[in-house]
Amino acid sequence: MTREDTRNRLFRAAVELIAEQGFAGTTVDAIAERAGVAKGTVFYNFGSKDALFSALLDHGIQRLTMSLAEAAEVPSDAAPLARLDAVVLAQLRFFDEYGPFARVLFGEMWRTAWQDAVTRLREDALGVYERILADAVEAGELREDFDTGTAATALFGMALTVSIERRVLRPDRPLEEVHATLVELIHGRVTKSVEAG
């Protein structure tokens, strides 16, 4: 097994445990046991539980950002609001596949200790939303004074919350239906903002 394989096993074990019982309730022993490695392997790869969690956040945010950025580019000639729809769907799919990471983002990373990760999430993942919204302003799809930063945070948070709710309470609901509802909400609000402008 390569070092990367080991780190991925530790990430998977840590994110599952932290999603189940919180960061404070998760021990290095439990992470090592769930990953099927010796406790020393955790320290060898990360140095501490805090460093493991920080690396886990970096890893997850990077993967999420890549998924959103890829969705934002296809098709590249699409109108900004059509690209926005694709990004929302990519976020829903990402959190459908990586549900524990969604719960960790929702419940754990907003603590003061993880402000660097919050900044990276804001700049990288939410930045994908903000760039598309800025493109929509430039294309005349949104009014000129539209607050793209607040809207990016709201859209990301909406998709995150809906992803968790679906996974926990409504796992049988098709992802496409969830996406269609969110798109209808987004377009209904955005259309009003253009008309009001």
Side-chain angles (χ1 to χ4, degrees):
M1 180 182 326
T2 67
R3 185 163 190 221
E4 184 178 346
D5 292 336
T6 300
R7 288 171 67 90
N8 285 333
R9 285 176 71 175
L10 289 167
F11 285 150
R12 199 165 32 256
V15 78
E16 288 170 0
L17 286 164
I18 293 167
E20 291 167 12
Q21 54 201 31
F23 177 76
T26 300
T27 64
V28 171
D29 287 328
I31 293 168
E33 183 179 333
R34 172 97 38 119
V37 300
K39 180 179 179 178
T41 303
V42 177
F43 293 113
Y44 173 75
N45 280 277
F46 298 103
S48 68
K49 184 175 90 166
D50 284 358
L52 167 59
F53 188 59
S54 181
L56 167 67
L57 290 175
D58 284 345
H59 177 75
I61 290 167
Q62 182 180 34
R63 291 183 77 170
L64 172 60
T65 301
M66 287 187 332
S67 294
L68 300 182
E70 286 173 11
E73 297 304 318
V74 181
S76 59
D77 61 342
L81 293 182
R83 289 174 30 233
L84 180 64
D85 297 347
V87 170
V88 170
L89 182 58
Q91 185 180 342
L92 291 171
R93 285 181 175 152
F94 182 89
F95 287 137
D96 189 51
E97 185 174 351
Y98 302 104
F101 185 69
R103 292 199 314 273
V104 167
L105 278 182
F106 192 79
E108 296 292 337
M109 76 169 286
W110 307 105
R111 297 172 192 227
T112 307
W114 313 118
Q115 286 308 299
D116 287 346
V118 171
T119 299
R120 281 189 299 282
L121 179 71
R122 178 80 192 94
E123 291 173 353
D124 298 345
L126 275 71
V128 174
Y129 277 100
E130 193 162 1
R131 285 187 294 280
I132 291 174
L133 291 167
D135 289 347
V137 169
E138 189 173 318
E141 292 184 300
L142 296 174
R143 66 179 192 271
E144 286 184 23
D145 64 344
F146 189 78
D147 182 352
T148 59
T150 299
T153 301
L155 292 171
F156 181 88
M158 178 175 65
L160 173 62
T161 304
V162 168
S163 294
I164 293 169
E165 189 260 358
R166 176 182 171 266
R167 189 173 183 90
V168 173
L169 300 176
R170 304 166 78 187
D172 295 335
R173 185 161 185 226
L175 198 61
E176 294 72 22
E177 285 182 18
V178 173
H179 180 247
T181 299
L182 293 183
V183 165
E184 188 174 346
L185 284 170
I186 293 166
H187 283 268
R189 187 63 227 147
V190 166
T191 301
K192 288 184 183 355
S193 80
V194 173
E195 289 170 353

